[in-house]
Amino acid sequence: MKNIIDELKKRVIVADGAMGTELQKYDILKSGESPESLNLTNPGAILGIHKNYIDAGAEIIVTNSFGANRIKLSDFGLDDKVAQINTNAVTIAAKAAEGRAVWVAGSIGPTGKFVEPNGELTFAEAIAVFSEQAELLCKAGANLITLETFMDIKELKAALIAVKSVTDIPVIAMMTFTETERTLLGTTPEAAAVVADALGADVIGANCGLGTDKIYSIVSRMAAVTNKPLIAQPNAGLPRFSSGKIKFQESSEDMLSSMKNFSFYPSIIKGCCGTDPSYIRLIKSNIEAGPHRNSAAAATRVASASDLVEFGYERPFVMIGERMNPTGKQLLREALVNNKTAPYRQEAAKQVAEGARILDLNVGAPGVDEVMLMHKMVLTIESVVSAPLVIDSPNSAALESGLTASDGKSIINSVNGTDESIKTVLPLAKKYGAAVIVLLLDKKIPKTAEGRLKIAERIVRRADLLGIPRENLIADPLTLTVGSEGKSVNETLKTIKLIKERLGISTTMGLSNVSYGLPQRTFINAAFLAMAMENGLDSAICNPDDRLLHAISLSSDMIKGRKDSDARYIKHAPDIKIGTTSGIRKKAEFDNPFDEDSSEAKLYTAIIEGSDETIDIASNLLNKMSPSEILETVMIEALQTVGTLYEKKIYFLPQMIKSANSAKRLAKHLKQFIAQDKTSTKGTVVMATVKGDIHDIGKNIVALMLENAGYRVIDLGKDVENKDIVEAAVKYKADIVGLSALMTTTMQQMGNVIKLLKKHNIPTIVMVGGAAVNSDFAKSIGAEGYSEDAVSAVRLADLLIKGSYGKAGHTKIDD
């Protein structure tokens, strides 16, 4: 076989379509049966589908192993068949491709569980699960690996690390996006592409959930931040339920027409749900142009799960917030000693509001478990702000702990010129796809710029050998205090200039060091910043609550002609007022309705931020408010605010889950003080994922939100028999039955449940939801309501209980 990466440089390659919907179309897959089990029980059917796609012109066929990881197979009692199912998947595909110029791609999908902190699956466990499957697929003879339909960027990180640890064959990495062009957890196409690129994905793209126009729009956005080949894998439009069957709205002609409306073709074109061989045949026969050559300009790019930051390479200057470091800060030291997160959360939010684009995080203090605290604080900070992080520690175990906790592409602070540091830190940067600050010292700081440059050159050479891109290296020329090391400060400026002239890599520094021990430090810092930027400084770890630093950086960027600097100056200059003490302040994301500094205000904020300290704060309130009052005023008010933030796309699913769990812990604690005869609920909701469907992430979140909103929730779990749902509705006198389905193959069970409820004259309301479900489908099966997400599900339940939903017609609650 030819090397597929070399081929992608020459031409567009067309892959196959959807295995799942083909199994459904031919009624091969029985309800409640694992599609991957057919590799054992009906290999001929899988072979036939592969051959049909090859005959239609597909040059890549994807194995029937999407859900063949140990966690998903365990839901079907097949976890002892992991090796056999994955091996057979490749064997069947290879047999179909025999004698044909076709690559076999081993498919790996998500586990169906969220990785911490959004779920209970640890990062290490996820890596182990994906490593096992990837190794089995490779040993069986797969030519490449394709990671498909990932919603959680951290789970995709685990999968990429796993695949890279067991094989060197090419790997495709794709995420699934919603209509908002973000994933379910809020990741943008740009952030997804930057993280996947950094972790070594050979091809990057998007699949499933959306039709051609949206998928191509997402891939176009990825092209702006990566030069890796791209893949587009759209559905045949959105599914609709008609005449008892699921049909997709986009014909093969529609799909081809949409592709031609875009200015480029991605390197790989593949079909997802609803794309049968006729789609592939038409696309293959009409694609003549070569693949698009991405023109993403060089930059140092770092990302959180939902935000991308670029600097260096003539990009605007970036402030890295310095204040999450316990050195000289008693409040932060006490927080670390007492294992509390509130001071760090508050400091993170303040610095971002002041204009910091990236945050430096250091948790080193005497007598603390730095490894544990680094992991905990990274999870905490990333749930509060969207700024990418600098993981700051001389302890390599603490660095790795922070890198495994982080959702995105972080910066390591730091590597120096000693052999021990280079051998320890650079491999961490390579493994986790991190950028790294290069300290220009070894056992001591060279006195001259030339001496510091030599250390930089040595580290860069070692990074080159490991395959770490130059864009991921950020030189720190070392800043000493001008009060005692005046000549050294000038050498620092010379070093920045030499780094730019000789190596061209990005630069940063601990800016505030220059004024240490001197009065009126802000003036020294500002003057030094201007001089450093003139010599090529791209970023600095500094105090963002300083108007002069913002003024200097914005002005210097514009004078030097850095990208978009004139527009940035015009946008932000009015925010920097003479006589103020703060930098660029963003408006608070939410208003606090309670008196400032009151316990109510603190609890309200803690719930919204998902703090683990809500119970402690609430204890102070019990002297003046009853437990019921706390729940019905402060907690409900906070959760409503979280819902508003989610709807405005300020908060995303991770923040919502964290807040809901925090509220749940608080409610459980307070309800023990409330007499049972005084408790009341809005109503009883029976929740279930329907028969044959093992996906319960969305249903679990809805159940959690409904419970926090005051409903009694009876959660029956996943893959629930229709009769069991009906029996539970009777037993618990359900006001509402909530049904969830992720797959088009199982959503029809919702209609069957409704028919059964009506047959037995059970007076309950039915609301439905799930990835494949929409308001038209809900109406067609007789459901009283449909909601798109957990926040709207609570609003829908309230309206249904009041009897005011749908009075003006059957409409969805999703806006």
Side-chain angles (χ1 to χ4, degrees):
M1 287 294 297
K2 294 180 180 178
N3 183 296
I4 190 168
I5 302 302
D6 290 339
E7 285 297 297
L8 290 175
K9 296 174 183 177
K10 306 172 187 175
R11 61 190 179 92
V12 174
I13 292 177
V14 177
D16 60 8
M19 174 65 71
T21 47
E22 285 299 278
L23 292 173
Q24 180 184 356
K25 182 170 73 175
Y26 293 113
D27 202 24
I28 297 169
L29 187 65
K30 297 177 182 177
S31 177
E33 185 177 23
S34 162
E36 293 74 26
S37 67
L38 297 176
N39 295 334
L40 306 180
T41 61
N42 196 349
I46 306 301
L47 179 68
I49 292 171
H50 283 320
K51 284 185 173 181
N52 288 343
Y53 279 119
I54 293 172
D55 290 342
E59 294 183 79
I60 300 173
I61 54 171
V62 177
T63 60
N64 181 39
S65 57
F66 174 81
N69 63 70
R70 183 169 295 277
I71 291 176
K72 271 203 169 180
L73 288 178
S74 67
D75 288 320
F76 297 96
L78 294 171
D79 42 319
D80 61 336
K81 304 290 186 184
V82 176
Q84 194 175 354
I85 287 173
N86 280 283
T87 300
N88 280 23
V90 177
T91 301
I92 295 166
K95 184 176 180 181
E98 194 172 8
R100 312 284 287 271
V102 173
W103 290 275
V104 172
S107 173
I108 296 178
T111 61
K113 295 183 180 294
F114 282 137
V115 180
E116 62 175 351
N118 301 314
E120 297 180 354
L121 185 66
T122 69
F123 194 71
E125 289 169 343
I127 289 175
V129 167
F130 292 127
S131 295
E132 177 185 37
Q133 187 181 5
E135 190 166 18
L136 288 167
L137 293 170
C138 292
K139 283 184 177 179
N143 305 121
L144 62 151
I145 296 292
T146 178
L147 306 175
E148 305 177 89
T149 325
F150 280 76
M151 297 180 291
D152 182 350
I153 190 67
K154 185 175 285 186
E155 189 177 25
L156 180 65
K157 284 181 66 174
L160 278 165
I161 290 170
V163 173
K164 290 294 180 178
S165 72
V166 299
T167 183
D168 58 359
I169 64 174
V171 57
I172 298 170
M174 290 181 284
M175 296 199 76
T176 294
F177 296 82
T178 68
E179 286 283 345
T180 64
E181 298 195 2
R182 287 179 180 265
T183 68
L184 183 65
L185 296 183
T187 300
T188 63
E190 292 86 355
V194 165
V195 172
D197 191 337
L199 287 163
D202 298 284
V203 182
I204 298 168
N207 80 295
C208 202
L210 299 169
T212 309
D213 286 346
K214 275 290 185 179
I215 289 288
Y216 269 60
S217 175
I218 288 164
V219 171
S220 297
R221 291 173 60 179
M222 291 178 167
V225 296
T226 179
N227 287 309
K228 293 289 181 67
L230 299 170
I231 177 171
Q233 187 175 334
N235 285 353
L238 299 176
R240 290 289 184 268
F241 191 70
S242 176
S243 303
K245 293 184 178 181
I246 301 296
K247 296 181 180 179
F248 289 84
Q249 292 182 303
E250 199 171 297
S251 68
S252 57
E253 291 80 8
D254 293 336
M255 182 173 282
L256 180 63
S257 177
S258 293
M259 289 178 182
K260 289 187 173 182
N261 285 337
F262 280 81
S263 60
F264 72 91
Y265 290 124
S267 296
I268 299 176
I269 296 173
K270 188 185 183 313
C272 211
C273 300
T275 54
D276 62 26
S278 68
Y279 285 75
I280 305 309
R281 181 174 291 106
L282 184 66
I283 292 168
K284 175 68 175 179
S285 61
N286 283 274
I287 299 300
E288 298 176 356
H292 173 69
R293 295 286 177 260
N294 302 1
S295 55
T300 295
R301 295 184 173 94
V302 292
S304 65
S306 58
D307 195 14
L308 168 69
V309 177
E310 298 180 323
F311 62 97
Y313 303 87
E314 301 307 314
R315 296 298 200 285
F317 180 84
V318 166
M319 281 191 178
I320 302 172
E322 69 179 2
R323 300 202 309 262
M324 287 195 298
N325 188 319
T327 304
K329 299 181 181 71
Q330 184 177 350
L331 185 63
L332 294 186
R333 286 203 306 273
E334 289 176 354
L336 295 173
V337 170
N338 295 312
N339 197 21
K340 300 292 186 182
T341 63
Y344 271 85
R345 289 198 324 270
Q346 293 161 7
E347 196 59 76
K350 285 179 184 177
Q351 291 187 95
V352 170
E354 292 159 3
R357 298 290 312 282
I358 302 170
L359 298 177
D360 185 87
L361 175 62
N362 186 299
V363 297
V368 304
D369 184 344
E370 188 180 0
V371 175
M372 179 276 292
L373 283 169
M374 184 64 83
H375 189 270
K376 180 175 183 176
M377 288 300 181
V378 169
L379 294 179
T380 297
I381 300 306
E382 289 191 342
S383 71
V384 175
V385 297
S386 61
L389 296 181
V390 176
I391 312 297
D392 185 356
S393 176
N395 181 335
S396 61
L399 289 176
E400 185 158 22
S401 178
L403 292 168
T404 60
S406 175
D407 284 336
K409 177 184 176 182
S410 300
I411 300 173
I412 294 172
N413 191 2
S414 54
V415 65
N416 61 51
T418 64
D419 285 341
E420 180 183 2
S421 180
I422 290 172
K423 290 178 180 177
T424 302
V425 177
L426 288 185
L428 287 178
K430 174 65 176 177
K431 178 178 179 179
Y432 294 100
V436 59
I437 293 175
V438 177
L439 283 185
L440 305 188
L441 59 80
D442 39 34
K443 293 182 179 179
K444 60 182 181 180
I445 301 174
K447 293 183 178 180
T448 67
E450 288 77 10
R452 297 179 196 181
L453 176 65
K454 287 180 180 178
I455 293 174
E457 290 173 334
R458 183 163 73 248
I459 295 173
V460 168
R461 285 195 297 271
R462 297 287 287 274
D464 286 343
L465 291 173
L466 285 173
I468 297 173
R470 296 278 179 104
E471 291 88 350
N472 281 359
L473 302 176
I474 310 162
D476 183 342
L478 301 172
T479 309
L480 302 180
T481 176
V482 71
S484 60
E485 299 282 350
K487 291 184 178 179
S488 178
V489 173
N490 285 317
E491 289 302 314
T492 296
L493 297 174
K494 292 179 184 176
T495 303
I496 297 171
K497 189 173 184 179
L498 277 176
I499 291 292
K500 287 297 182 183
E501 291 174 349
R502 304 281 183 85
L503 298 175
I505 62 176
S506 296
T507 54
T508 195
M509 64 165 60
L511 182 69
S512 302
N513 293 343
V514 73
S515 61
Y516 182 76
L518 295 170
Q520 300 285 9
R521 295 181 65 184
T522 187
F523 299 116
I524 298 171
N525 293 343
F528 186 55
L529 175 60
M531 299 170 74
M533 288 184 68
E534 167 59 22
N535 283 280
L537 186 69
D538 300 305
S539 64
I541 301 173
C542 59
N543 179 16
D545 190 24
D546 188 323
R547 66 182 180 89
L548 272 179
L549 295 187
H550 285 281
I552 292 296
S553 63
L554 287 168
S555 303
S556 298
D557 275 343
M558 188 169 66
I559 291 169
K560 290 184 70 65
R562 289 180 170 178
K563 183 181 179 183
D564 300 327
S565 57
D566 51 351
R568 291 182 71 254
Y569 181 85
I570 292 168
K571 177 181 178 181
H572 293 299
D575 299 325
I576 306 173
K577 306 294 185 182
I578 299 298
T580 62
T581 58
S582 63
I584 299 171
R585 287 192 176 274
K586 297 180 181 178
K587 186 181 183 299
E589 292 177 339
F590 57 88
D591 295 323
N592 199 315
F594 301 99
D595 292 338
E596 190 176 358
D597 296 327
S598 67
S599 293
E600 293 97 319
K602 292 176 182 177
L603 181 60
Y604 174 82
T605 300
I607 294 169
I608 291 173
E609 293 180 347
S611 170
D612 53 6
E613 296 159 27
T614 51
I615 293 174
D616 292 340
I617 300 171
S619 298
N620 297 326
L621 266 176
L622 288 173
N623 295 324
K624 67 176 190 177
M625 296 177 72
S626 71
S628 295
E629 287 175 319
I630 294 173
L631 293 174
E632 293 168 8
T633 57
V634 182
M635 191 183 87
I636 295 301
E637 185 78 22
L639 289 174
Q640 288 174 345
T641 299
V642 170
T644 299
L645 293 171
Y646 180 81
E647 289 172 337
K648 290 181 177 179
K649 307 304 178 187
I650 296 171
Y651 265 25
F652 296 96
L653 201 57
Q655 293 97 329
M656 190 175 73
I657 292 172
K658 192 172 180 65
S659 177
N661 282 326
S662 178
K664 185 177 182 179
R665 290 192 298 269
L666 175 63
K668 182 179 180 181
H669 174 74
L670 291 177
K671 283 179 180 177
Q672 65 182 312
F673 303 113
I674 304 173
Q676 287 298 315
D677 61 351
K678 292 183 180 180
T679 60
S680 63
T681 64
K682 292 180 178 179
T684 297
V685 182
V686 168
M687 295 288 298
T689 301
V690 296
K691 179 182 177 182
D693 202 316
I694 61 169
H695 302 89
D696 62 355
I697 289 175
K699 182 263 299 172
N700 292 344
I701 297 168
V702 171
L704 178 62
M705 294 294 287
L706 286 170
E707 190 173 33
N708 283 334
Y711 288 90
R712 177 193 183 207
V713 177
I714 309 299
D715 190 346
L716 303 181
K718 57 192 177 184
D719 189 19
V720 183
E721 293 287 341
N722 298 344
K723 66 179 182 61
D724 292 340
I725 298 172
V726 174
E727 288 173 1
V730 174
K731 177 180 178 181
Y732 297 105
K733 299 179 180 179
D735 298 286
I736 297 174
V737 170
L739 303 176
S740 174
L742 181 72
M743 303 184 297
T744 56
T745 53
T746 59
M747 58 194 284
Q748 298 174 61
Q749 293 294 344
M750 292 177 168
N752 295 335
V753 172
I754 291 172
K755 289 177 182 177
L756 200 56
L757 287 167
K758 290 180 177 178
K759 177 181 178 181
H760 293 282
N761 297 312
I762 298 170
T764 187
I765 299 164
V766 179
M767 54 187 273
V768 298
V773 182
N774 54 55
S775 56
D776 290 342
F777 172 74
K779 185 177 181 180
S780 72
I781 61 173
E784 281 77 10
Y786 157 78
S787 67
E788 190 175 52
D789 54 54
V791 171
S792 59
V794 174
R795 291 168 54 206
L796 172 61
D798 289 343
L799 291 173
L800 289 170
I801 287 289
K802 293 174 184 175
S804 58
Y805 179 70
K807 294 294 186 184
H810 194 287
T811 56
K812 67 177 181 177
I813 297 288
D814 65 350
D815 50 17

